[in-house]
Amino acid sequence: MAEVKIQAESRTEFGKGAARRIRRDNKVPAVLYGHGSDPVHITLPGHDTMLALKTANALLMIEVEGGESHLALPKQVQRDPLKGFIEHVDLVIVRRGEKVQVDIAVHLDGEAVSDALVVLEAQSILVEAEATHIPDGVTVSIEGLEIGAQIHASDLKLPTGTTLAIEPDTLVVNVTAQPTAEQVDAEMAEAEAEAGVQRDEPTPVEEPVAAAAE
């Protein structure tokens, strides 16, 4: 994974008011920590940070103005729940050759047999890899899988140098039969009953009464 260089500024103001002022300037408050060093409070350029963090586990070279440069990985990214802009970033300092544990995405490739329902039980898996060689994800082939087939973490083909950091028997993909309309309706009714939702009963239609012959 290529390094993304980001120019940062030292930050001396803290608190909600200071954070709001930083965001109004299209910047992001952040903190660097790790390897026993004191936390380094910085400000990142908003646009560059947004672009960099579109990539999962982005490897960042943070160049602090008038200070040192730090190789870092995003540890926690706080976003506005409505607008989605980045509010704060926690960055963990890493070193070249160092092993780190990160979540990587699981991608499906191919199609199972007809009438099969493929359930991705694990959207991501925890792995251990070198900080400078974190894979973008892992691809799982489901081509031609039969109903009843299962893929566990131990079945995944990880890149060289990457190892599992979860139990090998963790279920990743489960192939089941497509539910019938009756099963779907029954499940919905059960869920509604648990939630206390009552279904409206159809209103009976009264048959017109024929007028009596005079």
Side-chain angles (χ1 to χ4, degrees):
M1 182 179 296
E3 299 173 15
V4 179
K5 291 185 179 180
I6 295 184
Q7 300 293 329
E9 303 172 2
S10 296
R11 179 162 57 95
T12 56
E13 290 186 306
F14 309 99
K16 293 183 178 180
R20 282 194 293 267
R21 287 192 294 273
I22 291 172
R23 297 185 193 108
R24 279 199 298 267
D25 290 337
N26 193 28
K27 297 179 181 179
V28 179
V31 61
L32 274 164
Y33 60 90
H35 289 287
S37 60
D38 293 333
V40 179
H41 298 275
I42 57 175
T43 299
L44 304 174
H47 184 68
D48 291 347
T49 303
M50 178 193 67
L51 292 178
L53 296 184
K54 284 185 176 181
T55 302
N57 302 312
L59 185 62
L60 309 177
M61 176 59 73
I62 305 298
E63 299 180 343
V64 184
E65 183 180 9
E68 300 178 347
S69 296
H70 302 276
L71 197 62
L73 289 170
K75 184 67 174 179
Q76 184 177 25
V77 180
Q78 298 176 17
R79 298 180 184 271
D80 181 272
L82 297 178
K83 298 181 179 180
F85 62 79
I86 300 173
E87 294 186 325
H88 189 275
V89 180
D90 285 0
L91 301 167
V92 59
I93 299 171
V94 296
R95 294 171 180 164
R96 300 185 189 280
E98 175 185 12
K99 291 276 190 175
V100 295
Q101 290 190 354
V102 294
D103 285 303
I104 62 172
V106 177
H107 306 288
L108 300 182
D109 180 58
E111 294 184 3
V113 297
S114 60
D115 297 328
L117 176 65
V118 179
V119 181
L120 184 58
E121 301 286 354
Q123 301 284 339
S124 63
I125 59 167
L126 185 66
V127 299
E128 186 172 87
E130 286 190 14
T132 53
H133 292 86
I134 297 174
D136 295 331
V138 58
T139 300
V140 181
S141 175
I142 59 170
E143 185 64 35
L145 287 185
E146 301 283 345
I147 294 172
Q150 292 185 331
I151 297 176
H152 297 86
S154 58
D155 300 319
L156 302 180
K157 295 180 180 179
L158 298 175
T160 302
T162 302
T163 57
L164 286 176
I166 56 176
E167 293 297 327
D169 61 352
T170 300
L171 183 59
V172 178
V173 177
N174 192 23
V175 183
T176 63
Q178 288 276 11
T180 64
E182 291 76 10
Q183 289 173 326
V184 172
D185 192 60
E187 290 178 1
M188 289 181 62
E190 183 179 351
E192 289 173 353
E194 291 178 355
V197 177
Q198 294 184 349
R199 289 191 175 187
D200 294 330
E201 295 295 333
T203 303
V205 178
E206 296 183 0
E207 295 292 337
V209 179
E214 294 183 357

